[in-house]
């Protein structure tokens, strides 16, 4: 028995007819760059996220890069973020010439610990990039208070948390800018690459739209520096179809996570959800002291797992010039050794969940 981490082909076969129709429509229209499909997808996403403006771009990484450009973040600026994340937010901070300043995580949610942010704020601090890891929002109220107090911008990296809520408030209702990724592993995944920048600020939205296409005002009048960051029309057409399924897919993810929790809670440390939060479980992560051995055991039994993320960012070679060292962010370092993500996608069957849970319990000799 093989249980893969994801089932992209199975998912495609279920919605094949609609997807193929959408693709064919784009190809026969002859309009393959931006156009109606992209605009309609942006409108649908703005509505889904309850945000006024949504600008589709070609990846989540580009979305972060453009957000920093739009906020004029550059050399000399400091941006507070988490060392326990995919590298993209930190990498983009470096690429615009600014300095990432890390703050350790909360041990139970894996998200940045708001209580440790204020001591890192200096007169160079311009923004905070929060990463809503695995599908649970960061504790945003204290962060919003700090941002107001010190006049900082907030960028929400929501690549893993489309549809998540914090105390009845939706993702992207806290930050000045929100970013999404449509990488195939995300809750809403393209058949290729994609991303999005979301904001309620009209001025920022206009600027971001210009940056998306070389700062072009039209007719090759360039007023700011930008790049080519357009989302492909084909991907927009695909994503527009898939968005209709997202509410059901999120419920399916939550049901699977609840089932895992029920079966595993006495054996391993299952995801902790803060009071009042709606977790969307883009990634279902358990925490165990003997992670590498358990992973190997599951691999041998045909169960594919992943580690998000095995090395905290402050220990990455490429960031050595930030001069962080081992021991600087003890919780991030500890969790990087303990986290293990189990297969979780909307098509995971009850039988598969039970096999996975039983295999883990056998490993720990509790059954
Ligand atoms: C996936 C991801 C990104 C990057 O998105 P891409 O579309 O792959 O560029 C950024 N941040 C986080 C937290 C992610 O999970």
């Amino acid at each position: 028995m093989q249980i893969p981490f994801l089932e992209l082909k199975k998912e495609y076969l279920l919605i094949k007819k609609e997807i193929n129709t959408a693709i064919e429509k784009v190809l026969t229209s002859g309009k393959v760059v931006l156009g109606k499909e992209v605009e309609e997808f942006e409108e649908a996403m703005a509505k889904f996220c309850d945000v006024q403006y949504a600008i589709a771009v070609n990846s989540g990484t580009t979305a972060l890069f453009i957000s920093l450009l739009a906020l004029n973040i550059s050399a000399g600026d400091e941006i507070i973020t988490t060392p326990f994340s995919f590298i993209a937010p930190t990498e983009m901070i470096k690429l615009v010439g600014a300095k990432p300043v890390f703050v350790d995580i909360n041990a139970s949610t894996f998200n940045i610990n708001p209580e440790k942010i204020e001591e890192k704020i200096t007169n160079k601090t311009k923004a905070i990039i929060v990463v809503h890891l695995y599908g649970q929002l960061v504790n945003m109220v204290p962060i919003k208070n700090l941002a107001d107090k010190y006049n900082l911008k907030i960028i929400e990296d929501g690549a893993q948390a489309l549809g998540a809520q914090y105390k009845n408030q939706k993702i992207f209702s806290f930050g000045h800018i929100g970013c999404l990724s449509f990488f195939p592993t995300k809750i809403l995944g393209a058949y290729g690459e994609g991303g999005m920048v979301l904001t309620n600020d009209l001025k920022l939205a206009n600027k971001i739209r210009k940056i998306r296409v070389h700062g072009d005002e039209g007719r090759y009048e360039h007023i700011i520096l930008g790049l080519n960051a357009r989302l492909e029309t084909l991907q927009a057409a695909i994503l527009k179809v898939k968005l209709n399924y997202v509410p059901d897919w999120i419920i399916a993810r939550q049901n699977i996570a609840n089932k895992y929790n029920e079966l595993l809670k006495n054996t391993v440390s299952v995801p902790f959800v803060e009071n009042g939060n709606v977790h969307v479980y883009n990634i279902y992560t358990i925490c165990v002291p003997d992670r590498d051995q358990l992973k190997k055991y599951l691999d041998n039994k045909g169960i594919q797992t992943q580690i998000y993320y095995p090395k905290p960012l402050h220990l990455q070679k490429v960031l050595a010039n930030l001069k962080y060292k081992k021991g600087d962010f003890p919780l991030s370092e500890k969790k990087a050794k303990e986290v293990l993500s189990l297969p979780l996608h909307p098509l995971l069957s009850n039988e598969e969940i039970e096999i996975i849970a039983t295999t883990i319990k056998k490993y720990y000799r509790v059954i």
Side-chain angles (χ1 to χ4, degrees):
M1 177 108 188
Q2 294 290 319
I3 305 183
F5 196 73
L6 288 174
E7 293 270 21
L8 296 179
K9 182 179 163 188
K10 248 193 207 171
E11 177 210 88
Y12 165 64
L13 292 177
L14 274 182
I15 54 175
K16 181 174 167 182
K17 229 175 124 188
E18 276 181 279
I19 295 285
N20 287 7
T21 305
I23 290 174
E24 197 177 337
K25 201 172 143 200
V26 173
L27 295 183
T28 53
S29 78
K31 176 95 184 119
V32 293
V33 178
L34 293 181
K36 196 172 112 258
E37 302 290 343
V38 174
E39 280 167 28
E40 285 175 1
F41 174 57
E42 288 178 339
E43 273 168 38
M45 283 298 293
K47 199 165 157 216
F48 184 79
C49 296
D50 242 332
V51 169
Q52 266 182 294
Y53 311 102
I55 301 108
V57 296
N58 56 14
S59 79
T61 304
T62 314
L64 288 160
F65 185 59
I66 292 181
S67 303
L68 292 164
L69 293 178
L71 294 172
N72 298 322
I73 306 295
S74 60
D77 296 338
E78 292 179 2
I79 313 297
I80 289 174
T81 192
T82 168
F84 192 64
S85 160
F86 184 53
I87 196 171
T90 293
E91 189 182 23
M92 294 307 107
I93 294 168
K94 287 286 283 178
L95 270 190
V96 299
K99 181 180 169 191
V101 174
F102 293 131
V103 169
D104 209 359
I105 54 169
N106 172 311
S108 39
T109 63
F110 313 102
N111 278 329
I112 193 167
N113 183 349
E115 284 167 25
K116 293 186 178 161
I117 291 179
E118 192 161 17
E119 63 200 63
K120 299 286 179 75
I121 295 173
T122 71
N123 56 9
K124 292 179 180 166
T125 310
K126 289 284 159 58
I128 303 173
I129 301 186
V130 296
V131 178
H132 302 306
L133 206 69
Y134 302 148
Q136 173 164 223
L137 297 196
V138 168
N139 191 350
M140 289 305 290
V141 168
I143 292 183
K144 186 102 185 24
N145 290 341
L146 284 174
D148 290 345
K149 182 170 167 192
Y150 292 98
N151 194 23
L152 307 176
K153 302 293 185 199
I154 299 174
I155 298 175
E156 292 182 61
D157 181 344
Q160 300 179 7
L162 177 64
Q165 292 184 32
Y166 168 83
K167 298 196 199 307
N168 289 325
Q169 260 186 276
K170 287 186 169 180
I171 185 170
F172 305 138
S173 61
F174 304 93
H176 298 85
I177 297 184
C179 295
L180 281 173
S181 161
F182 305 123
F183 190 70
T185 59
K186 315 290 175 169
I187 286 176
L188 174 57
Y191 294 136
E193 307 280 349
M196 183 162 268
V197 187
L198 301 105
T199 181
N200 286 314
D201 182 323
L202 176 62
K203 261 194 175 153
L204 273 178
N206 286 337
K207 191 169 174 188
I208 290 162
R209 271 185 203 288
K210 288 194 181 92
I211 294 173
R212 178 171 68 176
V213 193
H214 300 287
D216 191 351
E217 278 225 291
R219 295 174 306 281
Y220 299 96
E221 291 292 333
H222 303 277
I223 51 158
I224 43 171
L225 293 179
L227 60 160
N228 172 4
R230 294 179 291 249
L231 177 70
E232 290 193 2
T233 309
L234 273 174
Q235 298 300 344
I238 290 163
L239 289 163
K240 193 157 66 89
V241 170
K242 291 179 89 178
L243 177 59
N244 294 323
Y245 292 90
V246 165
D248 286 346
W249 285 343
I250 289 175
I251 292 168
R253 284 176 177 279
Q254 291 164 333
N255 288 339
I256 293 165
N258 289 338
K259 178 129 204 209
Y260 266 139
N261 289 344
E262 207 43 55
L263 295 169
L264 290 172
K265 68 182 178 205
N266 295 324
T267 311
V268 298
S269 163
V270 298
F272 170 80
V273 183
E274 267 186 299
N275 223 348
N277 277 10
V278 175
H279 196 315
V280 290
Y281 297 101
N282 184 14
I283 300 174
Y284 182 89
T285 303
I286 60 169
C287 230
V288 292
D290 47 355
R291 191 265 319 276
D292 292 339
Q293 291 99 296
L294 174 61
K295 182 171 179 26
K296 204 176 274 167
Y297 181 85
L298 293 172
D299 278 347
N300 286 334
K301 301 280 179 197
I303 297 167
Q304 212 181 48
T305 57
Q306 300 283 353
I307 299 169
Y308 300 111
Y309 295 92
K311 189 187 248 189
L313 299 173
H314 66 287
L315 303 179
Q316 295 284 354
K317 209 174 195 173
V318 70
L319 299 171
N321 62 0
L322 293 175
K323 302 266 188 289
Y324 286 115
K325 56 183 189 314
K326 218 170 174 175
D328 282 346
F329 305 102
L331 293 176
S332 299
E333 291 170 30
K334 183 169 188 283
K335 293 299 158 190
K337 293 196 180 85
E338 296 180 348
V339 290
L340 185 66
S341 303
L342 306 180
L344 195 162
H345 55 81
L347 299 178
L348 193 70
S349 69
N350 276 336
E351 193 199 348
E352 288 172 313
I353 300 167
E354 272 161 25
I355 291 170
I356 295 165
T358 304
T359 311
I360 293 172
K361 284 177 172 170
K362 277 191 181 145
Y363 170 82
Y364 285 109
R365 300 178 196 282
V366 294
I367 48 170

